[in-house]
Amino acid sequence: MVGSIVHQLTKGITAEEAEKAGLGAYYTDHGLDVYPQSAGGFPFSANAIACKGDPIANLQEDLAAEQKARATYEKLIDLCKDNPDVVDPLRFLREREIVHFQRFGEALRGVQDKLAEKRMFAMGNCNWNNNNNNDCQC
Amino acid sequence: MWSYNKTLQYPIKIKNPDPRLAKFIISQYGGPDGELGASLRYLSQRFGMPDQKSKAILNDVGTEELRTP
Amino acid sequence: MECNNNNTCSCNCTCKENSKCPTREEMMNDVRGFNFAIVELGLYLDTHPDDTRALALHKEYCKCYKEAVERYQKKYGPLSIFYPCNKWRWLEQPWPWEGGNF
């Protein structure tokens, strides 16, 4: 969707128009292809794919990422407010980030419960169900 | 497994090109908080999740984000 | 959202006069709307798998989606390559990013 927006916003523009819009450098390197980069011109970086090998850290990262994406969409909506054709899909995408944030929060709580459960097992091999036996062999 | 449906999640019909806005919006494509990074992050993180729900959420949100770049 | 609302067309759309015949845009809106509902319910059910009401809605929308896709493809060609045609209709329409399948 974002690629489609960029494509349609630049469709058929001339080199002069690209330059006037501040896309001269972009046009030089990529023409009117949709190239994954930041607004500041930095090409896509795998740094964005933060994987820590730790479910809690990863999900917290994801919660923050959804909020950062929401914030970015809000800034874009402000910048594009005169163009309803653009604002409409941006508002849709912004709302999706909020739903994803909600679901990640629920997933995080599930993971925390699961890990807490694991720690309980790690306490030992006590037979908790056996009420007759008081001398636990932990 | 990737398979393509010939639709967009939300219709995009921009009547007047405006490259000035494209310069900003491309950040949500390949920028630090963009959709490409998000989808690849979730689809990479799903392998290490401890329970079914978190695996499913990362898989399914990652898939949805992959529709949006 | 209802499944068989006024966008139903069981006549293979040879009846151009029939005012009940949905437009292409209406048919695509059905496809997109049901698809969205399924995606949204799917995420919800991932963390609330025991919600029977959501599960029932999911079931209903899956049925509606299947019907809407079938209806659309019959008239306007494939939405995915998993729809066989007698000729290669995949190339016929503009792509979504070009404003096709609006």
Side-chain angles (χ1 to χ4, degrees):
Chain A
M1 283 182 64
V2 180
S4 299
I5 297 174
V6 171
H7 170 69
Q8 292 185 18
L9 281 172
T10 54
K11 198 172 180 195
I13 62 163
T14 62
E16 288 76 26
E17 285 167 332
E19 195 188 356
K20 225 171 127 189
L23 282 171
Y26 182 97
Y27 185 80
T28 306
D29 287 338
H30 313 296
L32 297 181
D33 284 350
V34 180
Y35 183 75
Q37 66 166 43
S38 72
F42 291 102
F44 176 73
S45 160
N47 286 338
I49 312 169
C51 293
K52 195 63 202 169
D54 180 291
I56 302 283
N58 281 350
L59 285 168
Q60 293 279 7
E61 177 86 36
D62 301 341
L63 285 162
E66 294 295 333
Q67 290 297 341
K68 286 193 274 184
R70 174 195 54 79
T72 309
Y73 279 123
E74 285 174 8
K75 293 176 204 315
L76 288 173
I77 289 166
D78 276 348
L79 287 164
C80 302
K81 60 178 180 294
D82 297 331
N83 196 332
D85 292 347
V86 179
V87 169
D88 250 24
L90 291 178
R91 287 169 66 107
F92 173 82
L93 290 166
R94 174 189 170 275
E95 282 166 28
R96 296 314 294 154
E97 308 296 356
I98 295 169
V99 172
H100 296 163
F101 175 79
Q102 176 73 28
R103 299 283 99 88
F104 278 140
E106 291 156 0
L108 176 62
R109 281 190 286 282
V111 168
Q112 282 165 333
D113 290 349
K114 173 94 181 177
L115 296 180
E117 200 178 281
K118 258 190 186 163
R119 243 173 264 130
M120 281 292 290
F121 291 135
M123 281 170 69
N125 299 318
C126 311
N127 187 357
W128 296 103
N129 295 326
N130 189 349
N131 295 326
N132 298 330
N133 187 357
N134 283 332
D135 62 335
C136 177
Q137 317 242 318
C138 298
Chain B
M1 183 179 77
W2 161 280
S3 81
Y4 185 71
N5 274 328
K6 216 171 180 179
T7 56
L8 288 171
Q9 213 185 1
Y10 192 93
I12 293 172
K13 281 283 211 180
I14 295 168
K15 288 184 271 307
N16 305 312
D18 187 345
R20 196 178 49 89
L21 301 182
K23 185 180 180 351
F24 307 139
I25 291 172
I26 199 151
S27 217
Q28 267 312 90
Y29 185 71
D33 306 313
E35 303 285 351
L36 185 61
S39 56
L40 294 178
R41 182 171 57 248
Y42 305 148
L43 294 177
S44 301
Q45 287 179 351
R46 65 187 162 161
F47 299 107
M49 285 294 144
D51 66 338
Q52 280 301 92
K53 285 185 187 177
S54 55
K55 283 175 206 170
I57 277 293
L58 283 169
N59 185 72
D60 296 352
V61 175
T63 302
E64 190 186 343
E65 299 268 14
L66 205 54
R67 300 162 140 204
T68 50
Chain C
M1 192 159 40
E2 276 181 26
C3 187
N4 288 323
N5 51 18
N6 37 4
N7 289 353
T8 309
C9 186
S10 50
C11 56
N12 286 340
C13 296
T14 43
C15 53
K16 290 212 168 76
E17 296 85 342
N18 189 343
S19 59
K20 275 196 169 171
C21 230
T23 64
R24 179 174 185 169
E25 190 166 0
E26 283 166 346
M27 287 169 85
M28 179 42 77
N29 269 339
D30 274 359
V31 170
R32 203 172 9 235
F34 292 130
N35 184 300
F36 174 76
I38 293 165
V39 167
E40 175 70 340
L41 278 165
L43 293 183
Y44 175 81
L45 282 162
D46 279 349
T47 53
H48 305 79
D50 302 324
D51 189 324
T52 49
R53 200 173 153 260
L55 200 62
L57 274 176
H58 179 261
K59 194 172 181 179
E60 186 189 334
Y61 288 143
C62 281
K63 182 173 155 279
C64 297
Y65 176 69
K66 208 175 151 201
E67 286 168 11
V69 168
E70 191 67 22
R71 245 187 339 256
Y72 185 95
Q73 292 188 129
K74 236 178 211 159
K75 188 160 185 197
Y76 296 111
L79 286 170
S80 80
I81 62 161
F82 300 96
Y83 186 73
C85 301
N86 291 329
K87 57 173 182 160
W88 192 240
R89 297 189 67 190
W90 191 238
L91 308 177
E92 276 177 13
Q93 306 292 339
W95 293 86
W97 61 87
E98 296 165 327
N101 279 350
F102 46 84

